[in-house]
Amino acid sequence: MLTIYKSGMQTTVQDLGRTGFQKHGVVASGAMDPYALRMANLLVGNEENAAALEITLMGPSIHFEEEHVISICGGDLTPQLDGKAVKSWRAVTAAKGQTLTFGKPGSGSRCYVAVAGGIAVPEVMGSRSTYMRAELGGYQGRALEAGDQLVVGEASADQKSADHDKSWFAPSPLYSSNPVIRVIKGRQFEMFSEGSRRHFFTEDFSVNPRSDRMGYRLDGPRLALAEAQEMISEAVAFGSIQVPADGNPIILMADRQTAGGYPKIAEVITVDLPLVSQLKPGDRLRFKEVSIEEAQRLLRLQEKTINCLKRAIKYKREATG
Amino acid sequence: MDYSFSPLGDQAIIIEVGTSINEETHNRIRAITSLLGASPPQWMTECIPAFTTISVAYSPLLATFEEAKNELASLLKKTEDIDVPHPRTIEIPVCYGGGHGPDLEFVARHNGLSPEEVIAIHTGTSYTVHMIGFAPGFPYLGGMSEKIAAPRRESPRGAIPERSVGIAGNQTGVYPISTPGGWQLIGRTPTRLFLPDREIPSLLQAGDTIVFRQITPEEYQTLEEKENADHI
């Protein structure tokens, strides 16, 4: 059991999201940085889709009522166990009675705390992810508050082994506060004016403070259609870059609605989504075009790497457990 | 029949069936949705019908964009000769005006009608559910008469009560969950459109036909209590 002493800015239970319900208008949700969530789970021996805590910028304070093996992956939000710095991207043991706190956010804006056994909230439509707007899933459909108590799933004997070799860890992605984000041209790309199409790839955009799990709002050159046109609403994706009438693009994220009526200038490729999810208000980014073939090649390559890591972690756990 | 296929990012394809909202396009989309539902390709993870398009989400680990596109193209040839089930007709009872529909008077005044005439026009036709989206269980409806069209409110309400029936421009709809919004509210239904504890969490599906029926505040009360008892 975990007890939340302080809520932090926004701490929610997330897994890899709801699949198959978007045709009913049900938002996918799930981790903003799916790579970090998967790694955090694998490091503690969970299924990669297990529910963990997503922590945003100013972290919570979490008290461990029993000993748990945990792993923190994602942005560096300066985690500490009983005031002592704890390293990310590896399995560590939180002793009974210890408290996990977070200091000033360093690089990145979100991290995941996975606990061996997973966070045991009920599944709603095949997922434990929280969708706050509809008060769905997660812990009572909302962000965690002081006093909440979370039950942890049963961990196997192997997962519980306390003697983890602290010298090995998983590689972290190259998070940056001014990344180049690779995109595929969107379905309505050609509808944009020539200037807008050029500026989209040549100018910097900055992250507006009004960004959240639903979307990242960007400030930069205003983007406009060559001629005003009404769009018919259609499906959108995690990473779709919509441009509303005011000309400021929005990158749609984990809590995006299932459909949108604004033209899409591009889509962020899956392997670069974690880089977007880790941006903070004020951070700058630039877009670079790749082909759909290249995007899918990079995705298959990443999955191959994750599979190698999976095997390596399993081997390490068995060797040191 | 020609379809165009375009990537929606690296894990979905959008099939464009038509470029304007009409019955033929709608029926074709229903045919494709039912075909993909009955025999989904093994790489497909999700299928989302919309007004003129269908998006098919897939795993790029199982099929590349080219492979998925080619398989869909040959699959879609079969839609020419499949029987699409007759649409279901679902009745939505609505208590119009008063506290449940605070903007009914505005919609009437705006169109030079009496509130009773607005209700008669709203209940006097059937509507097609083109897609479910915007919010869980929210139907995008086609078929509203332009005689009762009304602009959105200048300042949106912070929270619209769940199950409110509204008008915005040429559209009418029902809010399944409480959300902020600028629609003109003309009534409220006791019927729940979003059922998170059900296997199919949306009462309405793309392709359904719906009709609105006027009920009294007393009937509203009775039906709402019954719904509450059914969904503890």
Side-chain angles (χ1 to χ4, degrees), chain A residues 18-27 124-125 131 133-134 136 184-187 232-237 240 257-260 264 267-271 292-293 295-296 299-300 303, chain B residues 4 6-11 14 16 19-21 45-53 55 58 60-61 63-65 131-137 140 177 194 196 199-202 205:
Chain A
R18 295 193 165 78
T19 310
F21 293 90
Q22 292 199 68
K23 60 172 174 284
H24 304 301
V26 179
V27 166
V124 179
M125 291 176 236
Y131 177 47
R133 225 168 266 250
L136 207 70
I184 305 168
K185 276 183 190 165
R187 235 166 80 77
I232 300 172
S233 290
E234 61 182 35
V236 295
S240 283
Q257 290 173 351
T258 55
K264 298 183 280 281
E267 262 90 28
V268 175
I269 69 172
T270 302
V271 298
I292 172 82
E293 290 76 20
Q296 296 191 330
L299 181 60
R300 282 191 288 271
E303 291 306 313
Chain B
S4 84
S6 35
L8 173 69
D10 50 24
Q11 305 205 57
I14 287 197
E16 189 173 77
T19 50
S20 64
I21 301 169
T45 53
E46 204 157 353
C47 159
I48 310 164
F51 287 100
T52 56
T53 57
S55 93
Y58 65 101
L61 303 180
T64 63
F65 172 71
M131 63 189 282
I132 305 289
F134 169 68
Y140 282 89
I177 59 171
F194 178 50
E199 199 178 323
I200 297 173
S202 176
Q205 308 293 314

Side-chain angles (χ1 to χ4, degrees), chain A residues 192 196 205 218-224 242-250:
Chain A
F192 285 86
S196 293
F205 290 88
L218 305 181
D219 297 317
R222 299 286 169 102
L223 306 175
Q242 279 196 336
V243 183
D246 69 4
N248 294 316
I250 303 171

Side-chain angles (χ1 to χ4, degrees), chain A residues 194-229:
Chain A
E194 202 239 311
S196 293
R197 281 179 280 162
R198 197 178 55 241
H199 291 147
F200 182 70
F201 290 117
T202 54
E203 302 292 312
D204 274 12
F205 290 88
S206 70
V207 176
N208 186 288
R210 284 166 58 225
S211 298
D212 56 18
R213 282 184 44 87
M214 191 168 168
Y216 264 62
R217 292 167 183 273
L218 305 181
D219 297 317
R222 299 286 169 102
L223 306 175
L225 297 178
E227 45 189 306
Q229 276 185 60

Side-chain angles (χ1 to χ4, degrees), chain A residues 51-86:
Chain A
L53 300 180
E54 179 178 276
I55 285 160
T56 318
L57 286 169
M58 305 304 295
S61 139
I62 303 167
H63 185 77
F64 295 91
E65 305 293 343
E66 296 113 33
E67 180 176 295
H68 287 289
V69 175
I70 66 166
S71 161
I72 305 167
C73 292
D76 177 15
L77 306 184
T78 42
Q80 296 164 351
L81 261 178
D82 280 355
K84 233 180 109 213
V86 46

Side-chain angles (χ1 to χ4, degrees), chain B residues 133-150:
Chain B
F134 169 68
F138 179 91
Y140 282 89
L141 300 176
M144 193 185 80
S145 166
E146 285 187 15
K147 289 183 206 153
I148 54 172

